Amino acid sequence: MIYLDYSANTPTDPTVLETFSQITANFPGNANSKHTAGKSAQTKQNEISQNISDMLGIKPDEIIYTSGATESNNLAIKGIARSERHTGRHIITTPLEHPSVSAPLTALQEIGYEIDMVKIGLDGKIDLEHFKSLLRKDTVLTTVCAVDSELGTVQPTSEIAGILADFPNCRLHIDATQAVGKIPVDFKIADTVSFASHKFYGLVGSGILYKKEDLIIEPIIHGGMSTNIFRSGTPTTALNASLETALKLALDNINERFDSVKKLNTLLRDKLSEYPKVVINSPKDAIPHILNLSVTGVKGVDFQKALSDKGVCVSVKSACSTDSLPSRAVFAVSRNRKNALSSWRISLSHLTTYDEINKFLEIFETCYKELTK
Ligand code: PLP
């Protein structure tokens, strides 16, 4: 098998698994319990939160542990919308968002919130002038990805935050799921930031929502105390420790990992661009981990299946989307529905080898010839 779908999920690093086993074995208590085992788990949990917050440049109390980025996005979006409902019900977003952002927005729209979509330029970036024109006094939330999951476009989040400085009623939520561990992320510019551990060799089922200290949001999961009052449930100490380990590994090696992925991406881009029917959809300055392309006249799902039949794993849109509809993100940069329907995504890792890339290119050639004849 040639796995080229690292933006959907990464294999868990053995060190992360070791952390999980050790913490599970050594801290059997519930960190909320007041006995010795509970206190010991609580002390460990505090240490983990301190270490994670140090790495992210935030405060331990600003961390909300969640089950992943879907929950983090839902909590930020619904939590802000509900707590700010008396100030306004207008929200701005982009066509590049993951379903875990667009679906809660649709749910809010159904109960009376107004959602505006900011235009995307052909370079894949938010049109900042259009963004400014959409902002209103009753805009309570702007939600934007730091890096989108289909094209890998890096959004100008600092500029967006700068524009919002004149709109004190509007909170900024950044979905940084495809950015954390790959490129530097400035958490402090936003009110809330989401990410998940399994995108950088941590465990599935573990994520974080950063929430600025003073911001009040309505919880979506109600219950007893957790590590943070905004999300109830027994503190997931072993998962949080595993996230800490994965994050440390990713951040300690961020430049080396980036450079090796960049080389692989350049090789792939060059080789694939030689095919007359290949359209590379990812902008040149997208993160190198994601390369989105279309083979003209062939549906993305058909190319994916042909590759999959030969042992190559790539994805059509993101893993959580409906494959039969054209990609909104690719449509935004190409303005071409057929091209959007033909698109699919290769996603790379520092673990990807040249041998895998060369074998992939051979298989690609076979599929290309079969499907375009
Ligand atoms: N946001 C983005 C940009 C993603 O790429 C993903 C997953 O692919 C998610 C959110 C959802 O993450 P999770 O699977 O951890 O819920």
Side-chain angles (χ1 to χ4, degrees):
M1 180 181 80
I2 302 175
Y3 186 72
L4 298 175
D5 200 15
Y6 289 92
S7 288
N9 193 41
T10 54
T12 308
D13 191 291
T15 321
V16 171
L17 280 176
E18 215 175 285
T19 301
F20 185 81
S21 310
Q22 268 183 16
I23 302 296
T24 302
N26 297 338
F27 298 90
N30 180 328
N32 288 336
S33 302
K34 300 298 168 225
H35 47 58
T36 315
K39 282 184 191 154
S40 157
Q42 180 70 73
T43 305
K44 185 69 197 167
Q45 179 52 63
N46 291 345
E47 193 187 295
I48 295 163
S49 294
Q50 186 63 56
N51 293 340
I52 294 177
S53 62
D54 286 348
M55 286 189 270
L56 301 178
I58 61 174
K59 296 177 186 159
D61 288 349
E62 295 179 321
I63 296 174
I64 303 174
Y65 294 100
T66 66
S67 61
T70 297
E71 186 188 330
S72 298
N73 285 332
N74 271 265
L75 176 54
I77 293 166
K78 293 177 185 162
I80 291 172
R82 284 181 189 158
S83 69
E84 299 294 332
R85 65 188 179 279
H86 300 302
T87 312
R89 295 181 177 217
H90 179 236
I91 298 175
I92 301 175
T93 189
T94 86
L96 302 177
E97 303 307 308
H98 186 267
S100 59
V101 168
S102 51
L105 289 175
T106 305
L108 288 170
Q109 202 169 25
E110 280 162 8
I111 55 166
Y113 287 78
E114 206 184 325
I115 314 293
D116 263 324
M117 202 68 91
V118 67
K119 282 186 206 150
I120 300 299
L122 291 173
D123 58 357
K125 306 225 196 270
I126 283 180
D127 178 336
L128 292 174
E129 289 309 311
H130 185 234
F131 174 54
K132 281 184 207 163
S133 75
L134 290 176
L135 280 161
R136 312 189 318 213
K137 274 208 182 99
D138 64 337
T139 309
V140 287
L141 174 65
T142 292
T143 173
V144 57
C145 50
V147 169
D148 85 275
S149 57
E150 285 187 61
L151 298 160
T153 319
V154 183
Q155 293 302 326
T157 46
S158 301
E159 281 96 323
I160 294 166
I163 293 167
L164 288 179
D166 292 333
F167 292 84
N169 289 340
C170 184
R171 305 276 153 248
L172 174 60
H173 172 61
I174 298 180
D175 177 2
T177 311
Q178 293 293 347
V180 169
K182 297 185 180 110
I183 56 168
V185 175
D186 185 356
F187 281 65
K188 302 301 276 184
I189 60 168
D191 293 286
T192 50
V193 180
S194 53
F195 67 92
S197 185
H198 69 106
K199 302 293 186 185
F200 48 89
Y201 313 92
L203 292 162
V204 181
S206 160
I208 278 181
L209 177 67
Y210 155 77
K211 184 193 70 60
K212 207 166 237 165
E213 208 173 18
D214 301 330
L215 178 70
I216 305 290
I217 58 171
E218 258 191 41
I220 51 176
I221 296 178
H222 297 89
M225 257 301 275
S226 178
T227 46
N228 189 298
I229 57 163
F230 297 100
R231 204 275 195 180
S232 292
T234 300
T236 50
T237 312
L239 279 177
N240 305 345
S242 309
L243 186 150
E244 178 200 344
T245 301
L247 189 62
K248 181 159 174 34
L249 287 169
L251 297 182
D252 282 354
N253 299 295
I254 195 162
N255 292 334
E256 293 82 340
R257 288 183 180 186
F258 186 95
D259 291 346
S260 67
V261 172
K262 176 95 190 147
K263 284 185 193 136
L264 296 167
N265 181 296
T266 305
L267 173 66
L268 266 180
R269 249 182 199 270
D270 289 351
K271 293 282 181 202
L272 292 171
S273 301
E274 288 170 8
Y275 293 85
K277 289 194 172 162
V278 166
V279 178
I280 304 282
N281 299 311
S282 290
K284 279 239 161 69
D285 60 355
I287 57 161
H289 308 72
I290 293 178
L291 187 66
N292 188 300
L293 67 146
S294 302
V295 176
T296 305
V298 185
K299 280 188 185 154
V301 277
D302 294 337
F303 215 104
Q304 180 200 35
K305 184 176 179 307
L307 288 170
S308 176
D309 288 347
K310 294 181 169 37
V312 177
C313 306
V314 297
S315 74
V316 177
K317 300 204 268 174
S318 62
C320 319
S321 313
T322 316
D323 290 345
S324 54
L325 295 172
S327 154
R328 277 207 308 188
V330 178
F331 182 77
V333 292
S334 65
R335 317 275 151 94
N336 180 329
R337 216 182 122 82
K338 280 192 178 154
N339 184 60
L341 202 55
S342 291
S343 66
W344 47 279
R345 176 188 78 181
I346 297 168
S347 52
L348 302 166
S349 158
H350 59 283
L351 301 174
T352 308
T353 63
Y354 282 90
D355 191 35
E356 284 178 311
I357 294 293
N358 290 331
K359 283 200 183 110
F360 161 75
L361 285 167
E362 276 171 29
I363 295 170
F364 175 87
E365 165 116 357
T366 311
C367 296
Y368 180 92
K369 282 184 179 155
E370 274 171 18
L371 293 169
T372 60
K373 72 182 172 212

